[in-house]
């Protein structure tokens, strides 16, 4: 569905007219704290549906007193970036800088940034938190009250959500990290130092995918002995499988199919204990729900959604999305609700933007299933612990990393990633500031 269709659907549902005022930027843009140097950088920008381009633009500068400028040494592309690529996230504008996961070296600091020093290696959190509002004090960092003043988002969700780097004006309009430099507001809150013994190729993914997967498992409530079913065998689903076992799950069943079916075989090479279901190969008359209930007496204890609501399996939802009648399909949610045992837990981590049709609310209520939206992960709550686990080799983000590419090749990378070609999983995107590949990590791929 086109971005404009999604935006129109949301605004119509909220009663906004064509002249509704939408606040899309929270920056003050005064010149007190930073000076334009004239230096130009490379950055990945959205140019329209299924179009990105690496362009030159001015180097970001300190604008607000708590800002930190980071010289990017590593970024990546995420499955949720494809929702932007496809134009299904409202209020994405031509020329917006993409990317919500990156790491780098501190290049400059504002006068109120006290804990971060120039030259320090850091990871950038994808949600932007102030650290001092009511939600931040509760460690609900991804629901910060101060970093996303977008009125449409606030009206749609009934409450504020935090700003997010590189994820449209719907989430604050902040330039992203698929670039050579990034401006990080509230740098003391949204940056964590990288230990000297952790290379960028491991540290980077604490920015989102590692923290998001951890939050999905913890927030949904996976506990010792649980049987866990996971929809989506991409990097998030794979890390959720690893973390489910880490938290004591007795079995993990990973579900995918179609263009993503090869990922099931990939996972088996890394984690032979994981069981798999290819929904495209199920016998006629069988469903994911029926297959799971054959595999697990009574159904799994926990179901985790790691795929997202954009991808319709059936024609009804496909056409409803095309016509702007819904933003997200309910098919996977319905499978999960009907597959888990009575009073089982269902967690939703895949991105859902707005409204869905044909949701099986009866099955939810009648069988006592606990449905929870995990929300965007409050990365800052977990990242010190996760960095420690990486240091101790208790978790290894490199299990999901298959490629290393240049920032200059982002246009090609998006096209390949979108088609799930070349066995491409998680990617490390290097810039001119990056160190050579660390031993045991993917070497540079020419695209």
């Amino acid at each position: 569905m086109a971005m404009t269709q999604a935006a129109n659907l949301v605004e119509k549902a909220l009663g906004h007219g064509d002249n509704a005022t939408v606040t899309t930027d929270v920056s003050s843009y005064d010149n007190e704290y930073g000076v334009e140097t004239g230096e130009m950088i490379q950055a990945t920008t959205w140019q329209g549906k299924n179009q990105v381009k690496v362009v030159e633009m001015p180097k970001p500068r300190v604008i607000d007193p708590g800002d930190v400028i980071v010289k990017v040494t590593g970024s990546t592309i995420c499955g949720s970036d494809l929702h932007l690529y496809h134009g299904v996230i409202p209020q994405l504008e031509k020329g917006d800088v993409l990317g919500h996961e990156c790491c780098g070296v501190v290049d400059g600091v504002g006068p109120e940034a006290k804990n971060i020093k120039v030259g320090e290696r850091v990871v950038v959190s994808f949600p932007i938190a102030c650290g001092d509002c009511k939600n931040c004090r509760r460690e609900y960092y991804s629901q910060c009250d101060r970093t996303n003043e977008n009125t449409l988002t606030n009206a749609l969700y009934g409450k504020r959500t935090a700003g997010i780097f590189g994820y449209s004006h719907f989430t604050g309009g902040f330039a992203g990290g698929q670039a050579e430099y990034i401006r990080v507001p509230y740098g003391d809150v949204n940056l964590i130092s990288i230990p000297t013994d952790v290379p960028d190729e491991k540290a980077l993914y604490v920015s989102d995918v590692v923290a998001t997967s951890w939050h999905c498992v913890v927030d949904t409530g996976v506990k010792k002995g649980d049987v866990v079913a996971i929809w989506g065998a991409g990097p998030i689903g794979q890390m959720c499988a690893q973390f489910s076992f880490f938290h004591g799950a007795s079995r993990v069943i990973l579900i995918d199919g179609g263009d993503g079916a090869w990922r099931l075989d990939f996972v088996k090479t890394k984690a032979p204990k994981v069981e798999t279901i290819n929904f495209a190969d199920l016998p006629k008359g069988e469903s994911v729900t029926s297959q799971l209930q054959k595999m697990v007496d009574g159904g799994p204890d926990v179901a985790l959604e790691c795929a997202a609501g954009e991808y319709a399996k059936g024609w009804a939802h496909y056409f409803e999305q095309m016509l702007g009648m819904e933003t997200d399909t309910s098919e996977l949610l319905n499978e999960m609700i009907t597959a888990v045992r009575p009073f089982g837990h269902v967690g939703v981590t895949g991105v859902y933007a707005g409204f869905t049709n044909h949701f099986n609310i009866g099955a939810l209520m009648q069988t006592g299933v606990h449905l929870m939206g995990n929300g965007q992960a409050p990365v800052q709550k977990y990242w010190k612990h996760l960095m420690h686990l990486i240091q101790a080799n208790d978790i290894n983000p490199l299990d999901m990393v298959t490629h290393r590419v240049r920032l200059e090749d982002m246009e090609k990378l998006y096209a390949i990633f979108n088609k799930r070609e070349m066995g491409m999983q998680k990617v490390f995107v290097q810039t001119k500031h990056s160190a050579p590949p660390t031993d045991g990590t993917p070497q540079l791929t020419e695209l």
Side-chain angles (χ1 to χ4, degrees):
M1 181 175 59
M3 174 191 67
T4 53
Q5 290 175 312
N8 290 341
L9 172 66
V10 170
E11 293 196 11
K12 181 178 179 181
L14 295 170
H16 295 309
D18 292 338
N19 296 320
T21 299
V22 177
T23 302
T24 59
D25 201 325
V26 300
S27 301
S28 62
Y29 288 104
D30 71 49
N31 292 312
E32 182 178 352
Y33 301 109
V35 178
E36 294 282 2
T37 64
E39 183 178 350
M40 303 296 286
I41 69 166
Q42 299 285 313
T44 307
T45 60
W46 187 78
Q47 297 294 323
K49 184 177 180 179
N50 296 335
Q51 296 179 57
V52 300
K53 186 177 182 180
V54 177
V55 303
E56 280 198 342
M57 62 176 54
K59 176 185 174 182
R61 60 188 174 87
V62 171
I63 296 173
D64 295 319
D67 287 351
V68 172
I69 305 302
V70 174
K71 178 168 57 179
V72 177
T73 57
S75 66
T76 187
I77 184 172
C78 176
S80 59
D81 287 325
L82 293 182
H83 308 315
L84 297 165
Y85 186 63
H86 299 154
V88 301
I89 301 299
Q91 299 182 328
L92 186 61
E93 298 178 6
K94 185 175 181 179
D96 284 348
V97 180
L98 302 176
H100 58 274
E101 300 171 84
C102 65
C103 64
V105 177
V106 174
D107 185 70
V109 298
E112 292 183 8
K114 304 299 185 183
N115 301 327
I116 298 295
K117 307 300 181 186
V118 171
E120 195 170 351
R121 294 174 59 230
V122 290
V123 172
V124 180
S125 166
F126 82 88
I128 304 166
C130 74
D132 193 47
C133 69
K134 178 174 66 175
N135 284 337
C136 285
R137 290 196 298 271
R138 292 174 173 174
E139 297 188 309
Y140 303 158
Y141 297 103
S142 58
Q143 309 301 315
C144 177
D145 280 337
R146 296 178 180 170
T147 57
N148 182 11
E149 294 181 354
N150 185 291
T151 55
L152 176 58
T153 310
N154 190 34
L156 175 62
Y157 299 146
K159 55 191 72 68
R160 296 206 181 279
T161 60
I164 295 176
F165 289 108
Y167 219 76
S168 93
H169 297 266
F170 193 62
T171 61
F174 294 92
Q178 292 170 2
E180 291 176 335
Y181 288 85
I182 185 173
R183 178 179 76 93
V184 181
Y186 300 102
D188 283 348
V189 180
N190 299 305
L191 297 169
I192 184 174
S193 295
I194 302 174
T196 56
D197 57 344
V198 177
D200 284 358
E201 291 92 339
K202 289 186 178 182
L204 163 63
Y205 304 102
V206 175
S207 179
D208 177 8
V209 60
V210 172
T212 293
S213 305
W214 184 270
H215 176 64
C216 176
V217 170
V218 171
D219 189 57
T220 308
V222 174
K223 61 184 184 301
K224 186 175 181 179
D226 278 348
V227 177
V228 180
I230 301 173
W231 275 251
I236 294 286
Q238 292 172 32
M239 294 302 292
C240 280
Q242 184 177 150
F243 293 152
S244 292
F245 282 128
F246 189 91
H247 284 86
S250 60
R251 295 171 65 188
V252 173
I253 304 167
L254 199 55
I255 303 148
D256 212 317
D259 292 341
W262 63 268
R263 291 173 168 175
L264 299 173
D265 295 328
F266 176 87
V267 172
K268 295 293 285 185
T269 67
K270 302 287 184 177
K273 286 177 61 178
V274 174
E275 302 166 61
T276 61
I277 294 176
N278 182 341
F279 65 76
D281 288 345
L282 291 176
K284 188 175 180 179
E286 288 285 343
S287 65
V288 172
T289 295
S290 65
Q291 191 70 17
L292 280 168
Q293 292 182 340
K294 287 181 178 179
M295 295 172 69
V296 185
D297 184 26
D301 301 289
V302 178
L304 305 177
E305 207 284 19
C306 302
E310 178 189 346
Y311 305 106
K313 294 167 70 176
W315 286 108
H317 286 280
Y318 175 79
F319 284 117
E320 286 174 352
Q321 288 179 298
M322 290 291 292
L323 294 171
M325 297 169 65
E326 65 176 0
T327 57
D328 305 283
T329 174
S330 59
E331 291 160 295
L332 300 191
L333 300 178
N334 289 339
E335 286 180 356
M336 290 165 35
I337 290 167
T338 55
V340 295
R341 62 164 173 79
F343 297 98
H345 284 209
V346 173
V348 183
T349 283
V351 172
Y352 285 72
F355 299 98
T356 187
N357 301 325
H358 318 294
F359 177 65
N360 193 348
I361 193 169
L364 179 76
M365 180 270 164
Q366 295 290 351
T367 64
V369 169
H370 297 254
L371 174 65
M372 57 203 72
N374 299 126
Q376 301 291 355
V379 173
Q380 300 89 336
K381 179 178 180 178
Y382 303 116
W383 58 1
K384 287 184 180 179
H385 179 57
L386 293 171
M387 196 70 80
H388 174 73
L389 292 177
I390 290 172
Q391 278 186 285
N393 292 317
D394 289 330
I395 59 175
N396 183 11
L398 290 175
D399 285 344
M400 61 182 171
V401 181
T402 58
H403 291 75
R404 183 186 183 104
V405 302
R406 296 186 180 92
L407 176 66
E408 294 84 347
D409 291 332
M410 289 301 289
E411 183 174 351
K412 295 178 182 177
L413 176 63
Y414 265 89
I416 292 169
F417 195 78
N418 184 47
K419 295 178 180 178
R420 297 182 173 91
E421 294 179 345
M422 297 173 57
M424 185 172 284
Q425 283 274 124
K426 207 64 177 173
V427 176
F428 184 89
V429 179
Q430 69 176 37
T431 72
K432 66 181 181 181
H433 308 301
S434 303
T438 301
D439 289 344
T441 67
Q443 298 298 300
L444 185 66
T445 300
E446 299 290 344
L447 299 183

